[in-house]
Amino acid sequence: MTKEAELTKEYLENILESMEGGILTIDKNRRITSFNHSAEEITGFKREEVLNKDCRSILKSDNCERACPLEEVMETGKPIFNYEIAITTKTGDKVPVNITTSPLRSSDNKIIGAVENFRDLTKHKGLWGKLREERNKAQQYLNIAGVIIVAINKEGIITLINKRGCDVLGYTEDELIGKDWYNLCVPQKYREERKRDFEDLMAGYYKNVEDYENTILTKSGKEPIIAWHNTLIRDDDGHIIGTLSSGADITKRKQTEEELIRSEKMSSLGQLAASVVHEVNNPLAGIMIYVKLFLKKFDSGTLQSEGTDEQLLKMQKELERTTRIIRNLLDFARQSEPTMAPVEINRAVEAALLLVGNQISLENINLDKKLNPELPLVLADFDKIQQVLINIMLNATQAMPDGGTLTIATYVAEGVQIGDETKNTVRIDIRDTGVGIPKENLGKLFTPFFTTKEKGKGVGLGLSVVHGIIEKHDGKIDVTSKPDEGTTFSIYLEVWDEKEAENTHRRR
Ligand SMILES: Nc1ncnc2c1ncn2[C@@H]1O[C@H](COP(=O)(O)OP(=O)(O)O)[C@@H](O)[C@H]1O
Ligand SMILES: [Mg+2]
């Protein structure tokens, strides 16, 4: 070999070595003439072991017996691209490979052998297997999850739902995938509104609402309440292409919460009833006396018109007052649907005072009302806020067994830190000059069943219900107290901003 030829050979061998696929060449007699490093790795044979050996004695494959591609290529002179066979390695394992076989020609274009270029498919097969495994695992996780997981694309079509989702909705996966979420799973009365909100969300018109609650519609027509956590799905360019949501069925929890609030309400009603009865009884007894007197005079024909009309008017006034008190008590006792609406806080304070007021005067307590007439509205459940105020006012009166002063004040409070947000709020202070709360109890006030009152006087649920209601309103409640001086409860509720409300109260 000339020096030049030797260099070329070395150069070619280097190339062969550096190639990622296995490369094997044979001569016309099917003797192996080259075998690169990758070929060693795939087959397990060393080059020294195979060089000059008949390829059939080394790399047996199913094809060796039937039509040998190497022979075919050498006969026809045409390459065979990308076929798959299993070759047997040195250790006897079968390895699937993808092979391209091409003829080798001499400089005068005669076929002198063939070259096989093969890739180990187990690496890829393994990858596919792994992917499949991962997908199954992910599916399993999705299905084990105790929450509903549902993905909806930009058009509102369900693209993924887990087993829990199917269970809650009462459909099979097949009945859900590819269907319109809004038409199938949203109660009719909310459908249009939520569809519109979703379209706005997809169009990027407003910020994603991460956590919210709403009702869904099941196959059997039930409407469970779901607490959702929502994530926007975006494509590589950042465009919104759908949502992925997890949701927990909180219907039961909601019911228990409502029941607790209701039973607490009953207990404060019990406390209010005594004073209300007292308040109503006195004027009624007075009116009774007048009525009897009138009847007597009427019978004996001595009823004079002079003074009578004045007395009748007085009676009418008293009757109106008692009716109002009773109506208020009944209103308060009534079970109301939770409804959020813009509320004038001063009106809620007056409504609470109308019921607690009797108790206050009975207990020798002065009422000091400082209501700011210029308060902005807050978004709230009127009945629930009334209940909060009554609970705190009743506690205050109970803290002043020997009388004192109850101050109710309302303020505008801007820039108040609630959670990790700064909000403009309306603040309601309820201050008493009562026994106060020892420091060690301050942290326990809002825990259920914490009470310092004797049996029958309190069960310790009032403030925990108060706390629950204020939390639901995304508000805040603070307490400051000094033993023997008194206690102040401050409630903060966010000011209702009509424009802002449009954005944050949109629901799916
Ligand atoms: N204004 C107050 N002054 C003194 N202590 C109070 C006041 N409000 C609440 N507390 C304390 O908090 C406890 C819990 O109140 P609450 O949850 O309403 O339950 P209850 O009134 O049934 O005891 C009361 O037992 C009392 O010790
Ligand atoms: Mg109480």
Side-chain angles (χ1 to χ4, degrees):
M1 223 188 275
T2 64
K3 186 131 202 227
E4 206 177 327
E6 232 168 75
L7 275 175
T8 313
K9 188 171 172 261
E10 198 184 313
Y11 179 67
L12 286 175
E13 270 171 4
N14 270 336
I15 292 181
L16 280 187
E17 276 315 293
S18 65
M19 293 196 50
E20 212 183 302
I23 295 196
L24 166 160
T25 57
I26 53 160
D27 63 15
K28 270 222 110 149
N29 302 320
R30 294 216 244 172
R31 283 184 198 284
I32 296 173
T33 50
S34 56
F35 199 75
N36 76 346
H37 181 67
S38 289
E40 286 183 333
E41 278 199 330
I42 297 169
T43 62
F45 288 105
K46 288 279 164 231
R47 185 188 330 219
E48 304 79 67
E49 295 176 88
V50 302
L51 280 184
N52 292 320
K53 300 261 168 63
D54 186 319
C55 70
R56 282 163 298 189
S57 68
I58 304 293
L59 296 169
K60 291 176 222 68
S61 87
D62 309 340
N63 281 12
C64 293
E65 311 306 321
R66 291 180 270 128
C68 171
L70 286 166
E71 250 166 29
E72 190 189 322
V73 162
M74 287 193 285
E75 247 164 55
T76 62
K78 283 187 191 140
I80 308 174
F81 293 103
N82 289 320
Y83 58 98
E84 273 188 34
I85 57 165
I87 55 169
T88 311
T89 67
K90 190 175 178 183
T91 51
D93 295 326
K94 294 227 174 214
V95 176
V97 288
N98 176 291
I99 303 190
T100 293
T101 305
S102 322
L104 273 180
R105 293 173 195 270
S106 63
S107 51
D108 53 355
N109 213 17
K110 273 202 205 119
I111 290 172
I112 52 165
V115 56
E116 279 196 329
N117 179 348
F118 52 101
R119 274 185 306 121
D120 182 351
L121 285 176
T122 51
K123 280 187 188 154
H124 297 274
K125 287 241 157 96
L127 197 64
W128 280 117
K130 275 228 172 69
L131 271 179
R132 212 175 307 127
E133 231 171 67
E134 286 302 321
R135 205 195 52 206
N136 290 344
K137 232 192 261 170
Q139 193 78 35
Q140 265 177 4
Y141 288 144
L142 284 183
N143 285 341
I144 287 170
V147 294
I148 303 167
I149 295 174
V150 57
I152 295 173
N153 73 8
K154 216 175 159 170
E155 281 73 46
I157 304 294
I158 305 168
T159 55
L160 172 149
I161 185 142
N162 71 341
K163 186 167 177 309
R164 177 84 181 126
C166 296
D167 290 351
V168 171
L169 285 161
Y171 291 104
T172 65
E173 193 177 342
D174 286 346
E175 287 175 305
L176 289 166
I177 299 288
K179 299 284 159 52
D180 185 307
W181 168 262
Y182 294 92
N183 287 342
L184 195 63
C185 306
V186 171
Q188 172 129 37
K189 52 184 179 274
Y190 309 123
R191 199 168 288 159
E192 287 314 309
E193 188 194 339
R194 284 209 224 153
K195 240 185 212 178
R196 243 180 295 122
D197 287 347
F198 182 73
E199 279 161 13
D200 287 355
L201 182 68
M202 289 298 107
Y205 285 155
Y206 62 92
K207 215 175 72 190
N208 182 26
V209 183
E210 281 182 4
D211 296 289
Y212 52 91
E213 292 171 8
N214 64 28
T215 45
I216 59 172
L217 178 67
T218 73
K219 191 176 186 178
S220 60
K222 287 209 185 87
E223 296 188 4
I225 306 167
I226 311 292
W228 294 103
H229 182 79
N230 201 31
T231 317
L232 287 181
I233 312 174
R234 293 172 190 272
D235 64 12
D236 291 343
D237 301 327
H239 301 305
I240 300 169
I241 53 169
T243 61
L244 177 66
S245 312
S246 63
D249 184 348
I250 55 163
T251 317
K252 274 233 175 69
R253 200 183 82 203
K254 278 260 168 196
Q255 278 166 357
T256 6
E257 264 172 26
E258 284 294 319
E259 270 159 25
L260 183 64
I261 292 176
R262 223 173 288 141
S263 76
E264 224 297 313
K265 197 169 172 182
M266 285 303 142
S267 115
S268 35
L269 260 178
Q271 294 175 47
L272 290 170
S275 59
V276 166
V277 167
H278 188 266
E279 187 73 12
V280 168
N281 232 1
N282 280 351
L284 284 183
I287 290 165
M288 196 63 180
I289 291 170
Y290 274 116
V291 170
K292 276 187 181 151
L293 193 69
F294 284 153
L295 278 175
K296 220 175 184 177
K297 285 187 175 171
F298 188 74
D299 280 349
S300 59
T302 56
L303 187 67
Q304 291 171 352
S305 69
E306 199 185 320
T308 303
D309 51 350
E310 209 177 291
Q311 278 159 347
L312 278 172
L313 276 178
K314 226 166 135 194
M315 286 161 64
Q316 189 188 20
K317 260 213 178 114
E318 283 300 315
L319 279 174
E320 272 167 8
R321 210 175 83 84
T322 48
T323 316
R324 204 168 58 233
I325 291 171
I326 289 169
R327 199 184 317 121
N328 253 287
L329 193 69
L330 289 177
D331 271 354
F332 182 60
R334 192 193 62 216
Q335 266 186 36
S336 58
E337 282 288 312
T339 34
M340 296 293 268
V343 164
E344 284 175 54
I345 281 301
N346 289 343
R347 267 195 52 231
V349 170
E350 297 287 5
L353 278 174
L354 210 55
L355 288 172
V356 188
N358 319 302
Q359 189 110 358
I360 293 173
S361 48
L362 274 180
E363 304 267 352
N364 261 331
I365 295 167
N366 299 318
L367 178 65
D368 188 6
K369 234 177 4 174
K370 293 178 177 148
L371 305 185
N372 179 343
E374 311 262 277
L375 285 188
L377 296 171
V378 301
L379 190 73
D381 184 328
F382 186 94
D383 288 5
K384 296 271 158 60
I385 295 299
Q386 187 191 9
Q387 191 177 351
V388 161
L389 298 171
I390 286 174
N391 281 352
I392 297 176
M393 289 175 189
L394 279 178
N395 279 345
T397 56
Q398 285 167 345
M400 300 184 283
D402 305 321
T405 302
L406 177 70
T407 310
I408 317 283
T410 54
Y411 313 85
V412 177
E414 291 182 339
V416 176
Q417 187 77 22
I418 300 180
D420 43 16
E421 280 178 70
T422 310
K423 297 179 175 178
N424 291 336
T425 66
V426 166
R427 173 174 141 208
I428 315 155
D429 277 5
I430 300 155
R431 186 164 40 250
D432 65 61
T433 54
V435 293
I437 303 167
K439 231 187 183 144
E440 65 268 23
N441 285 352
L442 275 177
K444 306 180 210 158
L445 294 184
F446 298 105
T447 25
F449 304 112
F450 171 76
T451 179
T452 55
K453 292 167 194 170
E454 57 194 272
K455 233 181 167 177
K457 280 254 165 98
V459 285
L461 280 176
L463 287 180
S464 91
V465 164
V466 162
H467 191 260
I469 293 174
I470 296 302
E471 203 166 53
K472 211 68 54 60
H473 283 76
D474 294 324
K476 178 168 92 162
I477 180 162
D478 282 343
V479 199
T480 50
S481 185
K482 271 204 179 139
D484 297 327
E485 284 186 23
T487 305
T488 305
F489 281 84
S490 303
I491 297 166
Y492 300 85
L493 293 169
E494 187 173 19
V495 166
W496 182 61
D497 179 338
E498 201 168 348
K499 280 188 232 124
E500 174 79 7
E502 278 220 332
N503 290 335
T504 48
H505 273 273
R506 284 177 179 256
R507 298 183 155 182
R508 216 152 57 118

